[in-house]
Amino acid sequence: MFPFTDEELKKPVEICIQKVRPTLTLDGGDITLLGIKNSKVYVRLEGACKSCSASTNTLKYGVEKCLKEDIHPDIKLINVLYGQEEQFGF
């Protein structure tokens, strides 16, 4: 059982995203937090990041690393591609 509710995760997740955002905006991209459900963080890469070949590394070694180090090692990050929002309930 995950020790935090989805609502409790919201602020720390937003802080992690803010830490990574400056790097993304330098390259013409951004990241949007779509929501948190069952301790899974759903995001969507924006701008240049959505089609960048390094986007997987950005998510894994930037955002996910921050989430796991700052919040909890079992937290999950899910990248929701454009057009897939409904599939995840967003």
Side-chain angles (χ1 to χ4, degrees):
M1 177 123 174
F2 204 78
F4 307 105
T5 67
D6 293 343
E7 189 59 36
E8 290 171 328
L9 287 172
K10 189 170 186 194
K11 187 67 177 169
V13 166
E14 288 173 344
I15 290 169
C16 278
I17 286 174
Q18 290 303 327
K19 287 181 181 179
V20 176
R21 179 167 276 131
T23 304
L24 301 177
T25 57
L26 281 175
D27 290 332
D30 203 354
I31 186 169
T32 299
L33 174 62
L34 297 174
I36 303 167
K37 294 181 182 178
N38 301 317
S39 306
K40 292 182 179 114
V41 177
Y42 294 86
V43 298
R44 180 177 58 217
L45 291 174
E46 309 283 353
C49 289
K50 67 183 174 187
S51 59
C52 177
S53 60
S55 62
T56 302
N57 286 339
T58 298
L59 290 171
K60 182 159 186 70
Y61 300 110
V63 182
E64 188 175 67
K65 182 179 180 203
C66 181
L67 294 172
K68 289 181 179 288
E69 288 177 356
D70 291 5
I71 301 170
H72 196 277
D74 294 333
I75 200 165
K76 302 276 189 240
L77 179 69
I78 298 170
N79 182 31
V80 178
L81 301 176
Y82 278 90
Q84 292 183 347
E85 297 88 355
E86 279 187 27
Q87 177 180 329
F88 294 97
F90 298 107

